[in-house]
């Protein structure tokens, strides 16, 4: 916006704290679905940064303990009802001697924390399957203490929870305008840079004039490392000035962060890196402290390369330390080409069990180097004439690495691998979506049952349901499923209620494979014929998912549930984003914050979508809702606010508003849509907004959705 006025609401931020006697244990109560929403979880100053997977929510917890001379604290749990998995945040973990804290997922996964794990730092653990994590402590030293203050919860099976990291080196260069769109299209959680980011000397002017016009748009998600060209400027001052705290401590430039269940380490291969150096000592301690099952490192100079620079033995201490810690991936640059190596020991010997895979991605936009050197390691793939960006698709157990070429080029490469410290014993989980369903007398409803694999599990799993209300029958189709290794498979539970059906019950969906069984709880209620099937005033989190299909293209102003801030344009003297809602404080809104200048915090770059929980449409079903949309005189008919019904994976549009070359102010309005053709079927609502075609100003919001018969 050209100018704005802002309306602020007072918010209360609550974090549970307690003072406990030695040996005591405290666990916070957690809100049930539809209850009071958890307060926001604050970011701490001395915290290992944690980037999350799509669909992750956060909430508060309060579990803490202190030791006695011989007593082990009794177990308590952190729970998020209906979640597929949890990870918890420690704000303090001060363990002495052999004292420990063990975390166990209610479905699968266990990990024991000791004195080496992140002393003095706040951190998030790895994820554990199930909607609860049991916390048990063996504390013999009175000085031992721990505090858990928050959790993150996933709404997809852990095997299907992915994060995306873009990776590239040797960037700007004369052709980084070709590779920047690749990063934008990936919409990654993070962008890692393998050095030589702004040619040819990494001055601040070169960063501003060469790098920023193309890659500056990703600065908020960028995790850089410096290359040798950055050090053509004394102390790499241009690099540290441009990236600020993102580059780590000035003069050092090494740091770490977490993405999902991966631990990433940024190293500086331009400063001292001998085995006894401060950097390598830090690296050893950092890797030992991590609780994540998967590890990646990135830096500039490659240990192995067939390019012009060849193998670089000076980074062997990096590689040795990573190998000893069972790291999985190394991303490097320096040679201006693409190379992928087999998992290797530090001397280059192939080691498919414990080796570290190096991927050299020096293809960001600076010339090309040929393969004119030999290497001690085994090169599995390579290319010397294609600019491109690496796309890392990461789960809690494995990775996929893709080379994505610039437009007009055809070379691609794909590699996969499993994390060495991930869950190795085969297992499976069972989940239900939704976790609560209502069925009318004489009516039907459907629930999606997901069986997820861990540790390579791929055996037939029989499904059954028990404990349904009187008069309600359940049929699973198929009744036996076989998930792919480290993947997931779904079945449909069809519920049918007789005319005399009544009551509410918590049913149990059971998966059995051999002697192993896992279950998921499903709340089933029989309501009056017709009635309300789904309603959301957005005051609490009902389980909507952002970009559920993973196909959104918007780069800013995406949908979120929150308290919108009013934005007024003096260009047209119109309120574009409303600062009110039709009820309560929250709504579904595109980029809820006010813009400080024209076009800031509005929807940009394409489509953003939100998908509702599954519900069954009643006979005569009708959708009612409130909405507002606004745009500038630069909008087109390609811009829209749209509501569609997802019947399986097939969308049907039931409401749409499109843009035009006329200023439109934000005004709350109501609308209805006939859903009777979907009666008796389990569907989801898909709320979409698009700033498509050319860039334009676009704001939208939705509130008070209701589906009833």
């Amino acid at each position: 916006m050209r100018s704005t006025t802002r309306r602020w609401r007072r918010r209360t931020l609550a974090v549970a704290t307690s003072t406990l006697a030695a040996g005591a244990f405290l666990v916070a109560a957690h809100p049930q679905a539809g209850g009071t929403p958890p307060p926001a979880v604050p970011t701490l100053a001395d915290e290992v940064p944690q980037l999350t997977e799509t669909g992750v929510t956060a909430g508060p917890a309060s579990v803490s303990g202190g030791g006695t001379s011989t007593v082990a604290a009794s177990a308590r749990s952190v729970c998020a009802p209906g979640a597929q998995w949890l990870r918890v945040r420690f704000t303090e973990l001060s363990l002495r001697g052999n004292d420990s804290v063990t975390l166990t997922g209610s479905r699968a996964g266990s990990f024991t924390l000791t004195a080496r794990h992140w002393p003095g730092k706040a951190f998030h653990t790895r994820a554990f399957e199930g909607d609860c994590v049991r916390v048990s402590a063996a504390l013999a030293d009175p000085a031992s203490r721990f505090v858990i203050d928050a959790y993150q919860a996933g709404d997809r099976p852990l095997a299907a929870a992915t994060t995306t990291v873009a990776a590239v080196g040797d960037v700007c260069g004369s052709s980084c305008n070709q590779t920047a769109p690749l990063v934008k299209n990936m919409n990654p959680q993070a962008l890692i840079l393998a050095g030589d980011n702004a040619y040819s000397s990494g001055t601040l002017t070169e960063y501003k004039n060469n790098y920023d016009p193309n890659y500056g748009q990703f600065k908020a998600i960028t995790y850089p490392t410096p290359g040798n060209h950055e050090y053509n400027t004394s102390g790499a001052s241009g690099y540290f000035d441009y990236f600020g705290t993102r580059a780590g401590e000035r003069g050092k430039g090494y740091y770490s962060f977490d993405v999902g269940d991966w631990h990433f380490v940024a190293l500086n291969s331009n400063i001292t890196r001998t085995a006894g150096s401060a950097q390598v000592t830090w690296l050893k301690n950092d890797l030992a402290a991590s609780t994540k099952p998967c590890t990646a490192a990135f830096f500039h100079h490659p240990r192995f390369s067939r390019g012009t620079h060849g193998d670089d033995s000076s980074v062997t201490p990096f590689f040795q330390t990573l190998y000893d810690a069972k790291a999985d991936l190394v991303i490097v640059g320096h040679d201006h080409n693409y190379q992928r190596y087999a998992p290797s020991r530090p001397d280059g010997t192939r080691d498919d069990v414990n080796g570290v895979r190096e991927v050299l991605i020096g293809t960001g936009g600076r010339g090309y180097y040929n393969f004119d050197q030999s290497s001690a390691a085994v090169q599995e793939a390579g290319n010397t004439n294609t600019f491109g960006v690496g796309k890392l698709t990461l789960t809690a157990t494995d990775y996929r690495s893709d080379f994505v070429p610039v437009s007009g080029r055809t070379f691609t490469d794909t590699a996969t691998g499993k994390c060495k410290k991930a869950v190795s014993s085969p297992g499976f989980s069972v989940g239900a979506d939704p976790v609560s369903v209502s069925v009318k007398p004489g009516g039907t409803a459907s629930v999606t049952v997901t069986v997820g694999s861990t540790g390579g599990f791929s055996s037939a799993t029989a499904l059954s349901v028990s404990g349904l209300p009187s008069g309600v029958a359940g049929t699973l189709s198929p009744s036996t499923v076989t998930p792919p290794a480290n993947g997931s498979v779904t079945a449909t539970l069809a519920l049918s209620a007789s005319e005399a059906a009544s009551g509410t019950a918590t049913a149990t969906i059971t998966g059995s494979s051999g002697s192993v069984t896992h279950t998921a709880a499903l709340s089933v209620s029989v309501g009056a014929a017709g009635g309300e099937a789904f309603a959301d005033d957005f005051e609490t989190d009902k389980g909507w998912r952002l970009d559920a299909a993973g196909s959104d293209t918007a780069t800013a102003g995406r949908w979120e549930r929150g308290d919108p801030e009013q934005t007024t344009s003096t260009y047209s003297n119109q309120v574009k984003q409303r600062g009110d809602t039709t009820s309560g404080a929250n709504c579904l809104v595109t980029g809820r914050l006010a813009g400080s200048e024209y076009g800031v915090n509005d929807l940009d770059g394409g489509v953003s979508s939100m998908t509702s929980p599954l519900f069954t449409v009643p006979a005569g079903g009708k959708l009612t809702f409130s909405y507002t949309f606004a745009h500038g005189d630069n909008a087109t008919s390609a811009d829209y606010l749209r509501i569609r019904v997802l019947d399986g994976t097939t969308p049907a549009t039931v409401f749409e508003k499109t843009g035009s070359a006329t200023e439109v102010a934000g005004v709350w309005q109501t609308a209805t849509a006939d859903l009777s053709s979907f009666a008796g079927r389990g569907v989801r609502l898909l709320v979409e907004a698009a700033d498509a075609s050319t860039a334009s100003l676009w704001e939208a919001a939705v509130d008070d959705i209701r589906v009833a018969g």
Side-chain angles (χ1 to χ4, degrees):
M1 293 293 195
R2 289 190 173 90
S3 67
T4 63
T5 59
R6 298 190 181 207
R7 186 257 323 168
W8 302 93
R9 283 200 181 120
R10 180 182 297 273
R11 288 179 172 80
T12 301
L13 183 66
V15 177
T17 58
S18 62
T19 302
L20 301 178
F25 234 69
L26 174 67
V27 60
H30 294 277
Q32 301 298 313
T36 303
V41 175
T43 299
L44 303 176
D46 196 8
E47 179 177 14
V48 180
Q50 172 72 61
L51 310 182
T52 62
E53 303 86 344
T54 300
V56 170
T57 57
S62 183
V63 182
S64 57
T68 62
S69 58
T70 58
V71 177
S74 59
R76 296 292 186 268
S77 293
V78 176
C79 296
Q84 295 288 331
W85 55 265
L86 291 176
R87 63 171 62 98
V88 298
R89 181 171 78 170
F90 282 79
T91 55
E92 182 180 356
L93 184 65
S94 301
L95 300 178
R96 306 297 177 89
N98 294 321
D99 286 0
S100 64
V101 176
T102 298
L103 307 172
T104 305
S106 55
R107 288 185 192 157
S110 182
F111 190 80
T112 297
L113 298 157
T114 64
R116 69 177 184 174
H117 291 112
W118 294 124
K121 278 188 175 262
F123 66 96
H124 285 84
T125 64
R126 63 174 61 192
F128 301 92
E129 292 195 75
D131 60 1
C132 289
V133 172
R134 186 168 57 111
V135 184
S136 56
L139 307 178
D141 192 314
S144 291
R145 179 171 173 78
F146 70 92
V147 177
I148 297 172
D149 81 326
Y151 67 85
Q152 293 176 347
D155 62 359
R156 304 182 188 183
L158 185 58
T162 62
T163 54
T164 300
V165 173
V168 69
D170 304 273
V171 187
C172 299
S174 59
S175 299
C176 66
N177 62 317
Q178 298 180 46
T179 57
L182 302 179
V183 178
K184 185 175 182 179
N185 289 338
M186 290 177 194
N187 192 26
Q189 274 79 23
L191 165 64
I192 61 173
L193 298 178
D196 282 3
N197 312 306
Y199 285 90
S200 59
S201 298
T203 65
L204 183 58
T205 297
E206 287 171 336
Y207 267 99
K208 290 180 177 179
N209 294 342
N210 302 344
Y211 177 92
D212 195 72
N214 298 290
Y215 273 73
Q217 60 185 308
F218 313 121
K219 196 170 185 179
I221 62 167
T222 298
Y223 294 84
T225 58
N228 55 291
H229 278 269
E230 271 74 24
Y231 278 84
N232 286 340
T233 298
S234 179
S237 60
Y239 167 82
F240 285 105
D241 287 344
Y242 178 78
F243 285 112
T245 57
R246 281 280 180 185
E249 184 178 343
R250 183 179 287 268
K252 293 182 178 179
Y254 48 87
Y255 58 93
S256 65
F257 60 100
D258 294 333
V259 184
D261 259 20
W262 280 72
H263 184 60
F264 274 76
V265 183
L267 298 172
N268 188 347
S269 58
N270 301 277
I271 62 174
T272 305
R273 50 196 179 275
T274 57
S277 65
Q279 182 173 198
V280 172
T281 299
W282 171 88
L283 175 61
K284 291 177 181 178
N285 293 334
D286 180 271
L287 295 174
S290 174
T291 70
K292 300 297 186 180
C294 309
T295 304
F298 58 107
F299 45 91
H300 186 60
H301 296 85
R303 173 64 188 92
F304 308 112
S305 176
R306 291 185 54 224
T308 301
H309 292 298
D311 288 359
D312 189 339
S313 61
S314 74
V315 295
T316 298
F318 287 171
F319 213 95
Q320 184 70 57
T321 303
L322 293 163
Y323 177 84
D324 292 343
K326 298 187 182 301
D328 303 290
L329 274 176
V330 164
I331 306 297
V332 292
H334 200 37
D335 271 320
H336 302 172
N337 46 47
Y338 173 80
Q339 303 178 55
R340 171 169 60 85
Y341 285 86
S344 306
R345 297 174 184 169
D347 63 0
T349 304
R350 182 165 186 155
D351 183 348
D352 290 326
V353 176
N354 293 311
V356 183
R357 167 167 275 143
E358 179 191 279
V359 184
L360 193 160
I361 316 173
T363 53
R366 177 71 170 185
Y368 296 120
Y369 290 174
N370 292 324
F371 293 152
D372 50 18
Q373 301 288 329
S374 61
S375 176
V378 178
Q379 188 191 80
E380 294 181 314
N383 179 273
T384 61
N385 62 6
T386 304
F387 291 128
V389 176
K391 179 181 180 181
L392 306 178
T393 304
L394 311 174
T395 75
T397 57
D398 51 28
Y399 67 86
R400 171 175 169 150
S401 173
D402 289 286
F403 178 80
V404 182
V406 296
S407 177
R409 305 311 293 263
T410 59
F411 172 78
T412 60
D413 181 50
T414 298
T416 60
K418 297 187 181 302
C419 302
K420 302 180 188 68
K421 295 186 289 186
V423 176
S424 57
S425 57
F428 68 94
S429 62
V430 178
D433 183 19
V435 296
S436 178
V437 66
S438 177
V439 60
K440 309 300 185 291
T444 60
S446 63
V447 174
T448 299
V449 178
T450 300
V451 176
S453 160
T454 58
F457 177 87
S458 59
S459 301
T461 305
L463 298 173
S464 61
V465 61
S466 60
L468 294 167
S470 175
V472 177
T475 302
L476 281 149
S477 179
S479 59
T480 298
V481 296
T482 302
N486 302 314
S488 62
V489 65
T490 61
T492 299
L493 171 61
L495 300 174
S496 177
S498 68
E499 294 291 348
S502 63
T504 298
T506 300
T508 300
I509 301 170
T510 301
S512 301
S513 183
S515 60
V516 179
T517 63
H518 291 292
T519 62
L522 173 68
S523 176
V524 181
S525 61
V526 180
E532 185 175 88
F534 178 73
D536 198 349
D537 60 5
F538 299 102
E539 297 309 302
T540 61
D541 183 0
K542 295 289 184 66
W544 290 75
R545 289 167 54 185
L546 177 69
D547 189 18
S551 58
D552 286 2
T553 55
T555 56
R558 297 187 295 174
W559 285 111
E560 57 183 308
R561 182 182 69 85
D563 180 0
E565 296 181 354
Q566 179 175 306
T567 304
T568 303
S569 171
T570 54
Y571 172 68
S572 60
N573 199 31
Q574 289 181 345
V575 173
K576 295 299 186 183
Q577 178 163 285
R578 304 280 307 188
D580 59 359
T581 59
T582 55
S583 68
N586 297 323
C587 65
L588 201 61
V589 59
T590 55
R592 69 173 190 84
L593 298 178
S596 59
E597 59 185 34
Y598 195 83
V600 173
N601 290 333
D602 71 321
L603 183 67
D604 284 316
V607 179
S608 179
S609 67
M610 273 285 205
T611 304
S612 78
L614 189 72
F615 63 90
T616 302
V617 179
K622 183 171 73 172
L623 167 67
T624 61
F625 60 96
S626 298
Y627 72 94
T628 175
F629 76 102
H631 57 74
D633 58 12
N634 55 352
T636 71
S637 59
D639 305 328
Y640 59 80
L641 168 65
R642 179 185 294 164
I643 295 182
R644 299 202 280 178
V645 175
L646 278 175
D647 184 8
T649 58
T650 304
T653 300
V654 296
F655 172 85
E656 184 177 67
K657 292 290 183 181
T658 59
S660 64
T662 303
E663 291 275 345
V664 171
V667 177
W668 279 111
Q669 305 174 66
T670 59
T672 62
D674 182 9
L675 304 188
S676 58
S677 62
F678 300 96
R681 284 144 68 178
V683 303
R684 303 176 192 270
L685 295 178
L686 180 64
V687 178
E688 296 177 309
D691 174 21
S693 185
T694 58
S696 58
L697 175 65
W698 187 270
E699 305 271 15
V702 173
D703 202 2
D704 291 332
I705 287 178
R706 183 174 182 266
V707 177

